[in-house]
Amino acid sequence: KSFQFSIWKRLFPFAKPYKKLLLLIVITNILISIVDVSLPLFQRYAVDNFIEKGTLDGLPVFIAAYLAVIILQVLSFVFYTLSAMKTEMRMGRDLKRACFVHLQTLSFSYYNTTPVGYILARVMSDTNKIAAITAWDLIDILWALSYVSFAFLSMAMLDLRLALMVIVPVIAVLTTYFQKRILFWNRKVRSINSRITGAFNEGIMGAKTSKTLVIEDKNTHEFSGLTEEMRNASVRAAGLNALYIPLVMLASSAATAIVLARGGNLVLEHGILIGTLSAFTTYAVSIFEPIQQMARVLANIIAVQPNIERVMGLLD
């Protein structure tokens, strides 16, 4: 399934008490992305005004401005980290508490027909994943999107010719192709892992029954089958990642090479300043990381939807 808002809407009651924290997370992320984009511009200014001209005039003001920006970045990151950690821990606590309280109201028939491992996986593992995704990954997409947008805007303002040479569409195609397949196998790994957790629990809780019925070999055989499934799915997911990441790195290196080749000629022809080329090279190298991050985070968000469905199914 693709992203489904109707599923995530079920989390609103649990996120509402922490709307101030979530707003602070959003603001600090945007600030961090703005600072990240501004750093290559400082680099450009230093190259053109200090290195190229061979002078230190205005250096104290430059240092003060640079330090102010770095302090803003550090403070933003500190407040973002603290807010995200608080949101993750508190949402996880609230989800666990809601599940535990609700479990006290369910009838004997529910417990007679529902494996203990199933309940434990939802109360412990699923709630942790939901809280972590909400506090960290959802906001990470905002940072990545902000950075890519501001970086492209900065590159276009510096030199539109070079900006059009950055081969982001190639990365987008690679990401679209691989992430669907990586997502499929990661979902499979999570699903099998949940079954393994349940099998562990049932094997321990039902040890007396297994020994009484002398079915230890049968249990071992079934568990071996599950772990073999887990191994195969994990290898497929890892194999796709092992192919996807080098291809993205290749595209990133190609973009940097194109910018350096064309930009170098423009510098020689006095079409642009060397500081502009320096900033462009930095942007060309760094812009692909947030694109990869957006793809990874989106895959995680889609993959955690079944966890939300299972927890809400338990509460329903």
Side-chain angles (χ1 to χ4, degrees):
K1 296 178 181 178
S2 59
F3 179 82
Q4 292 181 293
F5 180 73
S6 59
I7 295 174
W8 287 89
K9 192 166 65 173
R10 298 292 304 275
L11 293 178
F12 282 4
F14 294 96
K16 189 176 180 180
Y18 311 114
K19 58 185 178 183
K20 289 183 179 179
L21 281 174
L22 291 169
L23 179 61
L24 183 59
I25 292 171
V26 169
I27 292 171
T28 51
N29 258 268
I30 293 175
L31 284 175
I32 291 169
S33 65
I34 291 173
V35 171
D36 288 341
V37 169
S38 70
L39 293 180
L41 300 179
F42 276 94
Q43 174 184 320
R44 169 182 177 252
Y45 184 89
V47 171
D48 288 341
N49 291 275
F50 301 134
I51 297 175
E52 281 289 293
K53 293 181 179 179
T55 179
L56 297 179
D57 292 343
L59 184 60
V61 176
F62 175 85
I63 291 174
Y66 189 81
L67 283 175
V69 169
I70 293 299
I71 290 170
L72 175 62
Q73 184 185 45
V74 170
L75 290 175
S76 298
F77 188 78
V78 168
F79 282 112
Y80 158 63
T81 304
L82 288 173
S83 302
M85 288 176 65
K86 287 179 181 179
T87 303
E88 178 187 4
M89 295 299 108
R90 292 174 184 178
M91 274 196 70
R93 175 201 62 190
D94 293 350
L95 284 165
K96 286 180 175 65
R97 182 180 292 166
C99 289
F100 183 83
V101 169
H102 184 65
L103 283 168
Q104 310 308 305
T105 68
L106 298 179
S107 63
F108 282 117
S109 61
Y110 176 81
Y111 293 99
N112 287 335
T113 58
T114 308
V116 177
Y118 173 95
I119 300 172
L120 282 176
R122 274 134 196 80
V123 176
M124 300 303 295
S125 178
D126 287 349
T127 54
N128 285 341
K129 289 174 184 174
I130 293 168
I133 285 284
T134 304
W136 299 95
D137 285 25
L138 281 175
I139 309 301
D140 276 349
I141 278 193
L142 177 63
W143 170 84
L145 191 59
S146 299
Y147 182 86
V148 170
S149 301
F150 291 141
F152 260 118
L153 181 62
S154 297
M155 286 191 286
M157 290 172 64
L158 289 174
D159 194 287
L160 187 59
R161 294 165 297 179
L162 286 180
L164 296 175
M165 292 181 185
V166 180
I167 48 177
V168 172
V170 175
I171 302 296
V173 171
L174 284 173
T175 298
T176 302
Y177 177 81
F178 277 96
Q179 286 302 318
K180 286 181 180 179
R181 288 152 182 80
I182 292 171
L183 172 59
F184 171 80
W185 287 104
N186 281 336
R187 272 182 170 171
K188 199 169 183 66
V189 168
R190 290 189 180 190
S191 174
I192 299 170
N193 186 61
S194 179
R195 289 160 59 196
I196 288 176
T197 302
F200 261 125
N201 183 78
E202 298 305 317
I204 295 168
M205 299 295 291
K208 290 182 180 178
T209 304
S210 296
K211 290 181 180 297
T212 302
L213 299 175
V214 196
I215 56 172
E216 295 97 323
D217 290 342
K218 176 178 176 292
N219 290 345
T220 301
H221 179 73
E222 290 177 353
F223 191 78
S224 296
L226 276 176
T227 53
E228 182 64 19
E229 276 189 66
M230 181 74 162
R231 185 193 72 83
N232 292 335
S234 299
V235 167
R236 287 295 297 272
L240 286 168
N241 270 313
L243 185 60
Y244 168 66
I245 294 172
L247 286 173
V248 170
M249 292 173 64
L250 176 64
S252 175
S253 300
T256 306
I258 292 170
V259 168
L260 284 172
R262 178 57 182 155
N265 288 330
L266 288 173
V267 169
L268 293 174
E269 296 165 3
H270 304 290
I272 63 171
L273 296 173
I274 193 168
T276 300
L277 177 59
S278 174
F280 253 95
T281 304
T282 303
Y283 283 131
V285 171
S286 64
I287 202 169
F288 295 102
E289 181 185 344
I291 293 173
Q292 292 177 61
Q293 185 164 328
M294 277 193 286
R296 177 187 60 78
V297 170
L298 185 58
N300 287 340
I301 288 171
I302 296 171
V304 88
Q305 287 182 170
N307 300 98
I308 301 174
E309 290 173 343
R310 288 195 289 263
V311 170
M312 294 305 159
L314 174 62
L315 291 175
D316 289 340

